[in-house]
Amino acid sequence: MTGALAVEDVALSFAGVTALDGVSFRVEPSTVHAVIGPNGAGKTSTFNVICGVYTPDRGGVTLGGNRLTGLPPHRIARLGIGRAFQNIALSGRQTVLENILLGRHVLTRAGVIASGLRLPAARREAREGRAKAAEIAELVGMAPLLDRPAGGLSYGDKKRLELARALAMEPSVLLLDEPVAGMNDEETARTAGVIRDVRDRTGVSVLLIEHDMSLVMDVSDRVTVLDFGRLVADGTPAEVRRHPEVLRAYLGGALGDDPGGEPGDTAGGEGRDHDHHQEDK
Ligand SMILES: Nc1ncnc2c1ncn2[C@@H]1O[C@H](COP(=O)(O)OP(=O)(O)OP(=O)(O)O)[C@@H](O)[C@H]1O
């Protein structure tokens, strides 16, 4: 077990626009942790700082006490931060198995020449890779689809394949950017089950950005709320839902008394006036 992911006093600005202003929180091992907040709150910026896409002006990120900030993104990925993207970028002609194997390339040691020559180490690595990919496909409920071309999958399966591909890197922390965006209720429930299974069966922590409050309140062990780049609340879903600053940020939208709201609720979507945030963009 690698230990907690700690975001410590991170500040980030773009040409005078403050994206993050002293944000700190911890993602404990084997937990589901959501980062929520209205549009422009700093959620994506937080992910980009964790992955090393952006270097913060102040503060930094550690995993199990080791500093990630300052390292290039590929090193951070190797150290255990896996990310599945909101925009589906799968190789449509390749099969589910091949797409999951693509996700493993950061772990592959034998190298292209050894693989080309089919040296024993490369063959062993390929065999292990396929076994691991099959295991991951089973975890995300896609075992029967291993030989299907990714291009023909349903929308929900494509999104879960993206998640599987990130898992193939064997991360300690899996970053999911809106894992159920655009999904219907049934697909959302399936993905919620996969997120729980990832936590419970692999011990991987899941850090997710999500506007669907129903999913957030349902699957998260802990929720961090950002607004205008500042942390306004951090706690269990029950604590966060009652927090006065959170209620204010969402203007009585999806986080009100209704536990979990309706699937598809877009907190910060309908529940507040975004215009003052959009001006900053
Ligand atoms: N590359 C960039 N250049 C300039 N400003 C940026 C950049 N990335 C983010 N920002 C600004 O930083 C602030 C935080 O943006 P960020 O994308 O992190 O918010 P978010 O919570 O992910 O929003 P959304 O829910 O709309 O995706 C916003 O004011 C945004 O306009």
Side-chain angles (χ1 to χ4, degrees), residues 184-239:
N184 62 29
D185 291 357
E186 192 191 325
E187 287 174 327
T188 298
R190 263 189 76 188
T191 301
V194 168
I195 291 170
R196 281 195 206 92
D197 283 350
V198 167
R199 174 194 60 196
D200 298 340
R201 289 172 54 191
T202 70
V204 170
S205 306
V206 179
L207 178 62
L208 56 99
I209 294 175
E210 185 50 67
H211 286 287
D212 182 334
M213 283 307 113
S214 172
L215 178 91
V216 166
M217 297 301 170
D218 184 26
V219 301
S220 307
D221 298 296
R222 209 166 175 86
V223 180
T224 295
V225 188
L226 302 179
D227 193 21
F228 289 116
R230 284 184 311 111
L231 185 141
V232 295
D234 184 62
T236 64
E239 286 164 354

Side-chain angles (χ1 to χ4, degrees), residues 13-226:
S13 59
F14 298 99
V17 174
T18 300
L20 295 170
D21 187 5
V23 170
S24 303
F25 63 92
R26 280 170 71 87
V27 180
E28 298 298 337
S30 201
T31 58
V32 176
H33 191 124
V35 178
I36 66 169
N39 292 117
K43 305 178 294 294
T44 308
S45 298
T46 302
F47 267 30
N48 283 328
V49 167
I50 292 171
C51 293
V53 176
Y54 295 151
T55 303
D57 306 329
R58 193 181 75 224
V61 180
T62 60
L63 179 63
N66 298 313
R67 191 171 167 91
L68 301 180
T69 300
L71 301 175
H74 70 273
R75 290 275 314 278
I76 293 177
R78 264 178 187 267
L79 288 171
I81 305 294
R83 184 172 187 178
F85 285 91
Q86 183 179 1
N87 302 323
I88 296 168
L90 299 168
S91 178
R93 284 208 197 125
Q94 293 189 288
T95 64
V96 166
L97 174 68
E98 287 163 343
N99 270 283
I100 297 176
L101 286 171
L102 276 176
R104 284 185 70 79
H105 77 275
V106 292
L107 295 175
T108 310
R109 280 165 203 90
V112 175
I113 293 173
S115 306
L117 297 173
R118 304 191 61 78
L119 297 179
R123 278 207 301 273
R124 191 173 54 245
E125 204 164 67
R127 208 168 42 238
E128 285 168 5
R130 278 195 299 275
K132 187 75 196 168
E135 218 175 272
I136 291 167
E138 196 269 322
L139 180 67
V140 303
M142 298 184 74
L145 305 175
L146 267 182
D147 298 322
R148 295 269 187 89
L153 297 175
S154 70
Y155 177 77
D157 280 331
K158 279 184 183 158
K159 298 258 305 182
R160 282 183 290 272
L161 177 54
E162 195 55 53
L163 190 159
R165 205 160 66 166
L167 270 182
M169 293 164 44
E170 299 182 25
S172 306
V173 183
L174 175 65
L175 271 53
L176 300 179
D177 196 341
E178 301 198 38
V180 302
M183 286 190 186
N184 62 29
D185 291 357
E186 192 191 325
E187 287 174 327
T188 298
R190 263 189 76 188
T191 301
V194 168
I195 291 170
R196 281 195 206 92
D197 283 350
V198 167
R199 174 194 60 196
D200 298 340
R201 289 172 54 191
T202 70
V204 170
S205 306
V206 179
L207 178 62
L208 56 99
I209 294 175
E210 185 50 67
H211 286 287
D212 182 334
M213 283 307 113
S214 172
L215 178 91
V216 166
M217 297 301 170
D218 184 26
V219 301
S220 307
D221 298 296
R222 209 166 175 86
V223 180
T224 295
V225 188
L226 302 179

